[in-house]
Structures are given as structure tokens and as C-alpha cells.
Amino acid sequence: MENVTLTDGPPPAATALQPPSWNTGDDVGVSQELRTPEELVAKSIAPVNREYLRPPPSRPSTNNSNSTVGVENDDAAEAKSGPILKEKKSKRQIKRERQQELKSPLHICPEVAKSGKVSACPYNDKCRFSHDLEAFKAEKPADIEGSCPFLVYEGSCPYGLGCRFAGTHRDVSAQTESLTRTSSEVNFFNKDTQKLLWKNKMKFPKAEATLKLLGLKGNPKNKTLADKEENGQVVPEERATDTKKDSNEVASDSITPSISPEDVDENNLADDIRPLKKAKSSVNEICSSQINNGSGVQGEVLDSNCDVNKQEPTFDVITDSDKSLKLQLREKKLIDFRDKLYLAPLTTVGNLPFRRVCKVLGADVTCGEMAMCTNLLQGQASEWALLRRHSSENLFGVQICGAYPDTITKTVELIEQECSVDFIDINMGCPIDIVVNKGAGSALLTKPMRMKSVVEAASLTVDTPVTIKVRTAYYEGKNRIDSLIADIGNWGANAVTIHGRSRQQRYSKLADWDYVYQCVRRAPKSLQVLGNGDVFSYLDWNKHKTECPELSTCMIARGALIKPWIFTEIKEQRHWDITSGERLDILKDYARFGLQHWGSDSKGVETTRHFLLEWLSYTCRYVPVGLLDVIPQRINWRPPSYYGRDDLETLMASDSAADWVRISEMLLGKVPAGFSFAPKHKSNAYDRAENG
């Protein structure tokens, strides 16, 4: 670890008794010593002990959400002097530049790097990567201090000479015959399935049968009864009977998902049944291809569901006499979330290495980052990577987001077939504009009938438990989940998580836990209700569980980002005055997990650095317990500028992206020339006035 020195102020001892003489006009920094801790708390300012206070550093911009740090030879001046607008390049030009870049010596062929032999590449001269080993060794950056993260496995490092820790490798010549290693991750995307998705030849027999059963089969863009709502209310049943129905569009107001013979057009009956029989054979075809490869979906022994001798159940039209065959909720798998510590699905920062860190610190339930259904159905490898699971995640779920029942239903069937998950969570609360504008996320809160169709179709298609995550409402002051909570359990959801904020509110106010309690008490006994919002200490956890015993558990989101040891605090019922060294050890674990997940070559190192910096943009908000006059810290407190109890703690308290880069260099070596970073998330925004 490199020595950390302060460059922007004297040590705390030199300023312990000196009152601040600055006047910046900021409520956080102005005359804090003249206010009592109670007055500071009332203004949502962290009451840091006055002996640790220091003048806020002078920077041209204080908006860290939009600031960019550029580093080139330890000087950011050149990065700032670059042009604001970049020349727009065509796709062909970008592709040509990418191909030329791959031919550079630094982009060595992976097969050549593994074995150290040019002859190891099966493509020879047709390979798109460089095969010049000597040029690669000459231009390769210096090794990073530390040992290769893959040395814990038997066999060689999978990145060979390309590893940034190659100096710590064992004798490569003695290990070339044992390059395979046992991966601790599962849910790798099957290439055969990806090709079927690319060619739009993937069959979804269960999804098609469920959509037919519920009368949802047809073009989702057509205006169906499920979308006909007035003033955000469900269309009354007596008015629904006046709506026209055709062969592809059946009224969705019927609670029991069954189709009588009168609902089926005799002329189209044969056409409706035939594709379902073909879907059966397509599933067997996929399984047979996996058998020929000698492996299952996850590269393990073939699952019993893909046995060639096992017949896939056919999904025919269900008549009134077959209603008793419908899968009931009590027959499905169930998950007990009660009193379990649940790490919320977190976009960008809730990646697999971060979840591993939280598991080490006490998390019981983990959930992958939100994945878009359309991207999954298109076979995008980057989206399927969000479903990756580590072996330490013993209770793991994935979160998907979609706008229509057909896309969500096909996605859950595909996930159950391809992945090992314990539950599937459907996001109905994402406030991001690009998601909402497509009718997904929080937009579903304005369409209760579509919410019903989505949950019913998904839960009937798969045996895996289906859960949903919602906000209190779309518009602030127009809460509506309390009117739907009684029906959500009847739709087939195993659990529902209520984030105590509206979509419009974002994070501008504290979560409304009183409304969450109200919804919990209205929920049926069979439905587990989880609360979410502002849990930042074990006292917050205890308070919610005491005030509402019916609450199953609390989902922890930003609290885990700012201090992932919150899970340890809740289990041990204490405030952990964690030291800077202990916090650095947690960051070291993250870096090691990141290198194992994204790779130990140059590309993997920089990917790990990028996500580490995203996480550090949250951890800097933590104020050590030993520095506070009032504990515990609240999640909405704004920390003032302060000195830590040592240099490292002071560095970790900085809200400057340049200091986050310095921390990353302590773990992952120097950043490359021309490096720049801008935090992605804006978690303090209030929506525009035109949204209500």
C-alpha cells in the first residue's frame, strides 16, 4: 500500500482549537461551530465534532454528480483543455478503428497469452488479435503490486502473459496442460441459446400457453382492455362487458384464467394448437444439442429437465372441466424472506463483486442488477452477464424490467430454463426516464390492469417464485399501492417490496414508512411485504420491525453502498466504529473479487477500477462513528469537510473524484494516460414540474 499524505490542509492536531475563518455561503460549512448538534441535525447536517472540522477545499465545481476527473501523467490540466464537443463518427469508422486497435501489440491473442506460443491460436493469420509476443512484452504496462487473484485455483491463470500480476505466476511451461479451472460463478450464457435468440427461432411453449390461457396473446401495441383505464383507476367490470372481443383479444377482467370452448374460434383452433406441439420438439432439440456438447446450461452435468426420455408437458387449450388442473399458489415454491437481511438490486454498483463483499459482511439475500427483458430476449451478452451468480450467494434472485406481459413471460421462462435462481423479481418502480418512457418501471404504476396481467402471466409460467418491487405511486401525493395490495397476492406474487417514495419524488425526501406500514396491514396473510427506504443502522431496522411486526423484512439499498458493514451491525446489534484500515481491507476484497470476475488483464483491471470508483462516490458519504456528536448517522445528513483520525480516513472522506482515483491506485496501480472518470448516478434529483 502506498503512503497517503495530505495536500490540502494541516493535520487535525494543528487545528483542534482554531475556529474556522472561512465563509463560503454553504449551509454545511458556514458557522458550524456556532450551532448545537441539535440545530445541525435539524438542518440535515452531520454533527461532526468541531475539533475535526476543516475548511472545505476550493474547487471550481461542487456538483460531483456532473464533474469529471481526468488524469494524465498526474496532471488534469490537459484533460480539461480538450474540446467540449467531439466529432461524431459513423458506425463504419468506429468499427474500422476498433479493428485497427485490436491489431496493436497490446491486444494480444488470448490463446497466445495463455500458452506463450503463437501456434496455440487456431485462427493463425486470420485472428483479429496480435500474435507479436515480443512487441506485447515491450509495451505491456508494469505489473501491479500484489499476487495474481487466480492463484487460489489449481492450474494456470487464464490470462497468462496478459495478466497484470504475471510476475507472481508459477512456471507456465509446467502448467500448460492444466489451463482449465473450476469457476465459482454460474449462470453463464449458453451460446446455442444465444444463436437461437439472434435468429428469432427460440420457442417459448409455456409462455405462449399462459398468454393464450389468460387471453393476452396478440400484439401488445394494440389498445387492449388491459390498458383502458380512466384517471388511473381500473375499468369497472360492468363496463368491460361492453368491450368488443376478437379471436386474439380476450377481456382481461376475468379473474379466473381459463378459456371455455365458446371463447375459441373453431376455424382457428387447429392453428392455435399446432405451434404448441412444435414448441415441445424445439425444447427437445435444444436439450439434445446440450447433450451432444456433454454439458448442461451452466457447463455442469445435464439437468434432469433436459433428459431426452423425459416428455415435456403439452400445453393445450384448457376447458372449463380442466380448471382444477390450474397451478395454485400453495403448490408453487415459496421463499421465506422474514427477518432476512436483503441487499437490494442496485444498478451499476450492485455487481457480483459488490454482492460478494456484502455476503462476507452478513447479507442473507442478494439480487442481481436490473436487466431489461427486451435485451435478454435479443441475446445481448452484456445483459445476460447481469444474471451471473456466485457460489456464495445461497439465496439469490434476479430482477427484470419490461412493459408488456408477453416479453416478461417469455423472459421468466427463459431465465428458469437457462439460469440457477431462487426467485425472479419484476421491477415496477424504476424512476429512470429511459425506462419509464418505454412503459416499464414506474410507468406500470399508472396501469393496474397491466400490472395484474404481468404478474399473473409470469407466476403461472414458471415454478420459480415471482416477486415484485414497487414505489408508493407515480405522482407524489397520489399513493395507490394500498388499494392494490390485497389483489397482488391473488395475482400470484410471492412477495412485494414497497419503496416508500413516489417516482416523482426520487430521493428528495425521506421514505414514507407510515404508508408502508399501512400497506402491510392491508396485505393478505399469504403475501410477504418488504419495506425499503433509508435503512442506515440497526436502530432503523429495529424500529421498523417493532412498529410493524407484520413487516417481513427491510430491503437495504443505499445504506449498503455507503457502509456495507451495515449487515454486520444489524446482526450484532451495535454501531461499528470501523477504522480506516478495516475499510481499506473491504476495498481490497472488492478489488480481488473484481479481478476474478472481470479479469486480471489490463481490460479487467480498468473495468474493476471503473466500478470501484462508482462505489467510492457513495462510500465518501460515511462519517465515522467516533467523529459524530450524535449517533447513528442518518442517510440524509450532508457531511461537512472534516479531518479523519488518520490520513487514510481523511482521504476516504473526500468528495473529490481525484481522491477516489488515488484510492483506486493504492489497490490497482497507476491509472493509464488520458484516464477520466465521471460518476454515473444522480441520487438527489427531484423530477421536473411537468411530471405533476
Side-chain angles (χ1 to χ4, degrees):
M1 185 184 74
E2 297 182 2
N3 294 327
V4 182
T5 58
L6 294 176
T7 59
D8 52 356
T15 60
L17 301 178
Q18 297 176 6
S21 58
W22 64 91
N23 187 359
T24 63
D26 188 354
D27 228 6
V28 179
V30 172
S31 63
Q32 180 165 346
E33 282 200 351
L34 304 179
R35 295 173 178 168
T36 64
E38 292 75 15
E39 292 174 338
L40 294 172
V41 170
K43 290 185 172 291
S44 297
I45 301 174
V48 175
N49 192 301
R50 62 186 60 185
E51 69 176 278
Y52 294 99
L53 294 176
R54 68 167 180 173
S58 58
R59 286 192 298 272
S61 175
T62 58
N63 188 356
N64 289 305
S65 297
N66 299 320
S67 61
T68 302
V69 56
V71 179
E72 183 167 358
N73 298 327
D74 297 327
D75 188 6
E78 186 173 345
K80 293 181 181 179
S81 63
I84 298 176
L85 297 177
K86 296 183 179 180
E87 180 184 357
K88 190 174 182 180
K89 300 178 181 179
S90 65
K91 292 183 179 180
R92 181 177 298 178
Q93 183 179 0
I94 294 174
K95 183 178 180 180
R96 189 185 305 115
E97 291 179 355
R98 187 178 300 154
Q99 290 175 346
Q100 293 175 353
E101 183 182 357
L102 291 176
K103 285 295 182 180
S104 68
L106 282 177
H107 289 80
I108 192 72
C109 174
E111 295 298 326
V112 175
K114 282 181 184 179
S115 60
K117 300 178 181 178
V118 177
S119 59
C121 178
Y123 300 101
N124 299 321
D125 295 336
K126 296 181 179 180
C127 181
R128 58 176 179 165
F129 296 101
S130 170
H131 287 181
D132 193 342
L133 280 173
E134 296 302 324
F136 171 75
K137 293 178 181 178
E139 294 190 19
K140 180 188 174 184
D143 282 356
I144 300 174
E145 183 180 353
S147 60
C148 177
F150 295 102
L151 292 182
V152 294
Y153 303 105
E154 295 182 1
S156 298
C157 170
Y159 296 92
L161 297 174
C163 178
R164 294 292 302 276
F165 304 87
T168 63
H169 288 176
R170 295 184 286 268
D171 184 13
V172 178
S173 60
Q175 300 289 341
T176 53
E177 299 298 327
S178 179
L179 289 177
T180 58
R181 63 183 178 85
T182 303
S183 175
S184 56
E185 298 181 12
V186 295
N187 295 350
F188 289 94
F189 194 24
N190 185 279
K191 292 296 183 182
D192 294 334
T193 302
Q194 186 180 38
K195 291 177 182 178
L196 289 174
L197 292 172
W198 283 350
K199 297 177 181 179
N200 199 24
K201 292 183 178 180
M202 193 72 188
K203 301 297 182 181
F204 302 93
K206 295 182 180 179
E208 293 290 341
T210 302
L211 294 172
K212 179 188 288 288
L213 186 69
L214 297 176
L216 299 172
K217 191 174 181 181
N219 186 359
K221 294 184 179 180
N222 292 338
K223 197 70 176 177
T224 62
L225 178 64
D227 298 332
K228 291 182 179 179
E229 302 164 6
E230 296 179 1
N231 299 325
Q233 299 297 327
V234 179
V235 177
E237 185 174 353
E238 60 270 19
R239 294 182 57 188
T241 57
D242 297 332
T243 306
K244 246 185 194 178
K245 305 175 185 179
D246 56 27
S247 59
N248 289 330
E249 187 176 76
V250 182
S252 59
D253 60 321
S254 56
I255 298 178
T256 304
S258 62
I259 298 179
S260 62
E262 292 79 13
D263 293 329
V264 182
D265 190 352
E266 295 179 0
N267 297 327
N268 297 331
L269 181 59
D271 294 334
D272 289 337
I273 296 177
R274 262 197 299 269
L276 299 177
K277 293 183 179 178
K278 290 182 180 179
K280 169 187 169 184
S281 62
S282 67
V283 174
N284 292 335
E285 181 182 355
I286 296 172
C287 294
S288 62
S289 65
Q290 294 168 356
I291 293 173
N292 294 333
N293 293 334
S295 63
V297 172
Q298 307 302 335
E300 300 172 352
V301 180
L302 186 68
D303 191 273
S304 60
N305 294 332
C306 293
D307 190 353
V308 292
N309 298 322
K310 184 176 178 181
Q311 296 297 326
E312 187 74 10
T314 56
F315 297 91
D316 295 329
V317 177
I318 298 179
T319 61
D320 288 338
S321 60
D322 295 328
K323 289 180 182 178
S324 60
L325 299 179
K326 173 192 167 186
L327 186 65
Q328 301 295 330
L329 181 62
R330 63 178 179 274
E331 299 173 8
K332 292 174 67 68
K333 299 176 184 177
L334 297 177
I335 291 183
D336 188 5
F337 291 100
R338 288 176 297 183
D339 299 328
K340 290 183 172 64
L341 301 184
Y342 190 161
L343 172 65
L346 302 162
T347 305
T348 303
V349 277
N351 45 62
L352 185 145
F354 177 76
R355 299 197 304 269
R356 287 185 65 182
V357 168
C358 292
K359 284 295 296 182
V360 171
L361 293 171
D364 298 319
V365 185
T366 55
C367 189
E369 302 175 62
M370 182 183 73
M372 299 302 296
C373 291
T374 51
N375 295 341
L376 294 174
L377 294 176
Q378 290 172 1
Q380 294 186 13
S382 59
E383 204 75 11
W384 278 91
L386 302 178
L387 310 185
R388 203 80 60 82
R389 174 183 189 173
H390 191 263
S391 58
S392 63
E393 298 179 274
N394 55 320
L395 189 51
F396 172 76
V398 296
Q399 186 181 72
I400 60 175
C401 184
Y404 298 101
D406 61 336
T407 55
I408 292 178
T409 305
K410 291 177 181 178
T411 302
V412 296
E413 178 181 356
L414 193 58
I415 289 175
E416 186 176 65
Q417 175 183 315
E418 298 292 324
C419 300
S420 169
V421 298
D422 297 304
F423 63 93
I424 301 174
D425 187 65
I426 303 175
N427 188 308
M428 297 185 179
C430 179
I432 302 175
D433 292 340
I434 193 173
V435 174
V436 172
N437 293 340
K438 293 181 179 180
S442 295
L444 289 172
L445 298 176
T446 64
K447 302 179 183 296
M449 288 305 296
R450 191 183 293 179
M451 287 178 63
K452 173 188 175 183
S453 301
V454 165
V455 177
E456 277 188 338
S459 61
L460 285 174
T461 300
V462 294
D463 294 333
T464 305
V466 174
T467 64
I468 64 175
K469 188 171 186 288
V470 299
R471 286 180 176 248
T472 58
Y474 188 92
Y475 299 111
E476 187 174 359
K478 298 182 179 180
N479 294 337
R480 69 179 320 169
I481 297 301
D482 58 313
S483 62
L484 300 173
I485 194 71
D487 295 325
I488 292 177
N490 298 329
W491 297 345
N494 183 198
V496 56
T497 301
I498 304 175
H499 186 175
R501 294 182 175 89
S502 65
R503 186 261 174 177
Q504 183 187 4
Q505 180 183 343
R506 299 291 178 94
Y507 293 95
S508 59
K509 296 180 182 178
L510 292 175
D512 186 357
W513 275 92
D514 290 335
Y515 180 73
V516 175
Y517 300 156
Q518 178 184 344
C519 295
V520 172
R521 297 185 179 102
R522 289 193 178 189
K525 297 292 184 182
S526 60
L527 180 66
Q528 300 179 78
V529 183
L530 293 70
N532 176 217
D534 304 335
V535 177
F536 201 45
S537 69
Y538 79 91
L539 294 180
D540 294 332
W541 171 278
N542 294 347
K543 175 185 176 183
H544 300 319
K545 291 293 294 180
T546 301
E547 294 184 355
C548 187
E550 300 89 351
L551 187 71
S552 295
T553 189
C554 300
M555 182 182 282
I556 303 173
R558 286 185 301 158
L561 290 177
I562 299 173
K563 58 171 190 179
W565 53 91
I566 185 176
F567 302 105
T568 304
E569 291 186 340
I570 294 174
K571 286 192 171 181
E572 298 181 1
Q573 293 288 291
R574 67 184 178 100
H575 299 299
W576 185 359
D577 188 10
I578 189 170
T579 64
S580 59
E582 291 171 323
R583 292 170 65 186
L584 185 64
D585 289 339
I586 294 175
L587 297 178
K588 287 180 179 178
D589 287 341
Y590 180 87
R592 178 165 52 88
F593 296 156
L595 293 172
Q596 292 174 359
H597 179 60
W598 289 299
S600 59
D601 59 345
S602 294
K603 181 179 179 181
V605 168
E606 294 312 311
T607 302
T608 302
R609 188 193 307 276
H610 169 78
F611 287 106
L612 173 63
L613 292 172
E614 290 284 0
W615 183 25
L616 290 174
S617 68
Y618 287 91
T619 59
C620 65
R621 305 180 194 178
Y622 172 72
V623 181
V625 174
L627 274 61
L628 289 171
D629 286 331
V630 177
I631 56 173
Q633 179 183 355
R634 303 290 296 175
I635 202 167
N636 64 321
W637 285 357
R638 293 168 292 161
S641 295
Y642 63 90
Y643 291 109
R645 291 165 291 189
D646 53 51
D647 292 345
L648 180 58
E649 194 168 73
T650 303
L651 184 65
M652 290 180 169
S654 173
D655 61 353
S656 169
D659 288 329
W660 306 337
V661 172
R662 291 177 60 194
I663 296 175
S664 76
E665 290 180 330
M666 297 164 59
L667 306 171
L668 299 169
K670 289 289 184 181
V671 297
F675 176 85
S676 64
F677 169 75
K680 179 179 179 181
H681 284 270
K682 300 176 184 178
S683 60
N684 198 27
Y686 192 88
D687 213 353
R688 294 187 297 270
E690 54 261 32
N691 282 338

